[in-house]
Amino acid sequence: MNEILTDIINTIKLLIYKENPSLLEKVDFEDDNIFLDPLFFAYFNSKKGDLFSSELLCEIMQGYFVEKESLILKASYNKAGVAYVPCIGYFDQENRKVEDILKVDHFEILKEIHPVLERYFVEYYKGHIVNPKPQYASAWREKYQELEKAILIIKEHLPVFYEELVFANKKIYLHNNPKILNFASIETLGMLYFYVLGNNNLIYYIEELIHQGSHNYLYYVVHNRKEYFKIDVDNIIMRDLTKQDWDYRNVYGAFHGLFTVTQRVECFDILLTKNVFSGREKHELLGRLTDQFSRFRTGLELLNLDEVYTPRGIEYYHALDQKCMNILQKYKKLHQEFDLSNRDLDFRYEDFCTLNSYESFLEKDRNNYYQF
């Protein structure tokens, strides 16, 4: 992983050098964290569409300058008229600072989105963009404290996963549009985007940190596609191989699905075994675990493994598949307790999960009904 990390960092350094070599003289060249800022990934991925002027790169980097200069904010204002400068803060159109940087442990909570990230906010359904320019607003002020609690719970109780989360993820943005499904993108590597509504979001945050954070981690793991796959997994669609008409995913996306489900199942199992939660929160965690049954083995098992994967890829696929199956087997009785028939693929827990008998369940739970 360190070799992959170094390769990615060196790629960003080279791209900056090609565009404006003088910028590298103004920052600490040996500070790798600078070059893992998701804004750089988004900026250079925007070049293929020629979406931004080159002055924006300087405006992003000025937050990292060793010797601070007068701020230039011409290209940094987003649709809300706010400019975000990494490490420094947020500014209005009069160049007045209006907010400071917000950090939670190793992560930065973005208070406003940067213009290089705005194009990734779309309403998406079954493989198609249904609204390319949806409305949304930052929800950090009301919602970040519960996110902070979720992060610290993961840090305490899931230390192995937490190392992966910190390794691959840098910044989190909270917004208020549930039609913009939670996501991570290789084009903004290190960013997490969550919609947040209502209250009691602790278990929701924990699941999404595991889910979306694992997407970013897997981008690193399989960075060198040819080590794992024989075919063009980014452009070959699952239904063309499995003949399941509903399956609009590409093979790479389906593999991400297996990885993120396995990550959730493994982490949920640890939290339940440690008995970290009780009452409503444990109920919700069990409901979210039950939902993973329907997300496991949704098509990858139908593929001809020798045609799709390299030997290393086959080994990795089997390791994930077997781990997930073994853990789910421990919880197979949950199917008798939760009715998930009306739940949507991207759900809010309280909207879908109906327990046959909540009081009965709690009594069974007290009597160690589930053997951990």
Side-chain angles (χ1 to χ4, degrees):
M1 288 290 282
N2 286 335
E3 290 183 6
I4 294 171
L5 185 67
T6 299
D7 181 49
I8 291 173
I9 290 168
N10 287 340
T11 298
I12 294 297
K13 288 179 176 179
L14 180 60
L15 290 170
I16 294 172
Y17 178 80
K18 287 182 176 180
E19 184 155 329
N20 190 340
S22 66
L23 291 175
L24 295 175
E25 299 172 3
K26 298 183 178 184
V27 301
D28 181 356
F29 190 77
E30 301 304 320
D31 184 355
D32 290 341
N33 285 322
I34 293 174
F35 305 100
L36 292 172
D37 191 316
L39 299 188
F40 291 130
F41 295 97
Y43 173 78
F44 286 112
N45 276 299
S46 74
K47 301 301 284 185
K48 56 192 174 187
D50 196 26
L51 300 177
F52 301 99
S53 64
S54 58
E55 67 183 351
L56 186 57
L57 178 61
C58 179
E59 294 186 23
I60 293 171
M61 289 196 70
Q62 62 190 332
Y64 296 106
F65 288 173
V66 175
E67 296 183 8
K68 300 306 180 185
E69 303 176 0
S70 297
L71 289 180
I72 301 172
L73 300 174
K74 294 179 181 179
S76 294
Y77 292 102
N78 64 15
K79 293 176 182 177
V82 178
Y84 161 61
V85 182
C87 300
I88 296 180
Y90 301 80
F91 298 81
D92 65 17
Q93 291 179 310
E94 302 299 323
N95 283 20
R96 294 173 301 197
K97 191 175 185 180
V98 293
E99 290 286 352
D100 291 318
I101 299 295
L102 175 61
K103 294 276 288 189
V104 171
D105 205 58
H106 290 278
F107 307 97
E108 180 179 347
I109 311 301
L110 288 193
K111 296 179 177 179
E112 287 286 346
I113 211 67
H114 191 279
V116 295
L117 303 175
E118 288 179 323
R119 69 191 181 99
Y120 296 97
F121 285 77
V122 298
E123 293 177 7
Y124 192 79
Y125 184 70
K126 292 188 176 181
H128 300 285
I129 295 174
V130 295
N131 184 359
K133 295 182 179 181
Q135 297 293 315
Y136 60 91
S138 175
W140 76 270
R141 195 181 303 276
E142 307 86 358
K143 305 298 182 183
Y144 86 90
Q145 289 180 320
E146 202 165 25
L147 172 63
E148 179 177 22
K149 185 177 178 181
I151 289 170
L152 295 179
I153 287 172
I154 291 173
K155 182 178 182 179
E156 179 181 357
H157 296 288
L158 302 170
V160 175
F161 170 74
Y162 191 71
E163 288 184 9
E164 298 175 0
L165 188 68
V166 171
F167 176 89
N169 299 277
K170 309 302 176 188
K171 302 182 180 185
I172 306 169
Y173 179 67
L174 306 176
H175 65 89
N176 63 357
N177 185 343
K179 294 183 180 180
I180 302 173
L181 303 181
N182 295 343
F183 69 98
S185 170
I186 195 170
E187 292 197 3
T188 65
L189 186 61
M191 271 295 307
L192 298 175
Y193 310 84
F194 302 155
Y195 73 83
V196 193
L197 298 176
N199 301 311
N200 299 315
N201 288 300
L202 179 62
I203 305 300
Y204 165 76
Y205 280 136
I206 289 173
E207 175 169 13
E208 289 309 306
L209 286 164
I210 299 167
H211 180 186
Q212 306 303 335
S214 293
H215 280 300
N216 277 336
Y217 185 72
L218 188 62
Y219 290 138
Y220 281 95
V221 174
V222 296
H223 176 66
N224 299 316
R225 299 277 207 282
K226 292 183 179 179
E227 292 185 5
Y228 292 87
F229 305 104
K230 292 180 179 179
I231 63 173
D232 183 2
V233 291
D234 293 286
N235 293 304
I236 295 178
I237 304 303
M238 283 289 290
R239 60 175 166 237
D240 294 335
L241 300 178
T242 64
K243 309 308 176 186
Q244 295 186 109
D245 291 338
W246 66 269
D247 199 345
Y248 57 86
R249 301 171 296 173
N250 60 29
V251 177
Y252 185 58
F255 193 82
H256 264 263
L258 170 62
F259 182 74
T260 58
V261 167
T262 302
Q263 291 278 85
R264 279 177 278 179
V265 166
E266 183 176 23
C267 290
F268 291 173
D269 178 44
I270 294 170
L271 293 173
L272 289 165
T273 301
K274 288 185 173 184
N275 208 26
V276 174
F277 301 104
S278 61
R280 181 198 183 281
E281 289 172 346
K282 186 169 186 178
H283 176 208
E284 178 172 350
L285 185 63
L286 286 163
R288 290 181 179 276
L289 174 59
T290 306
D291 184 60
Q292 305 311 308
F293 282 91
S294 65
R295 298 173 185 270
F296 179 56
R297 290 184 176 170
T298 58
L300 288 178
E301 72 282 1
L302 302 176
L303 299 177
N304 183 320
L305 301 188
D306 291 322
E307 289 181 1
V308 173
Y309 301 100
T310 65
R312 184 174 183 178
I314 291 176
E315 181 181 6
Y316 194 40
Y317 165 75
H318 278 310
L320 293 172
D321 181 81
Q322 195 65 39
K323 179 191 288 185
C324 193
M325 183 188 70
N326 289 344
I327 298 173
L328 287 175
Q329 277 292 108
K330 294 171 58 177
Y331 297 93
K332 60 184 180 181
K333 291 182 180 179
L334 286 176
H335 274 304
Q336 303 168 15
E337 302 295 337
F338 287 89
D339 176 13
L340 309 185
S341 59
N342 293 321
R343 72 101 171 90
D344 194 68
L345 285 177
D346 292 279
F347 62 88
R348 287 300 306 274
Y349 170 81
E350 52 266 40
D351 293 334
F352 87 93
C353 190
T354 303
L355 185 62
N356 291 338
S357 174
Y358 185 38
E359 294 303 323
S360 173
F361 167 78
L362 290 178
E363 185 61 36
K364 291 175 183 177
D365 190 47
R366 283 192 287 269
N367 292 329
N368 200 26
Y369 181 72
Y370 298 104
Q371 302 297 317
F372 300 141

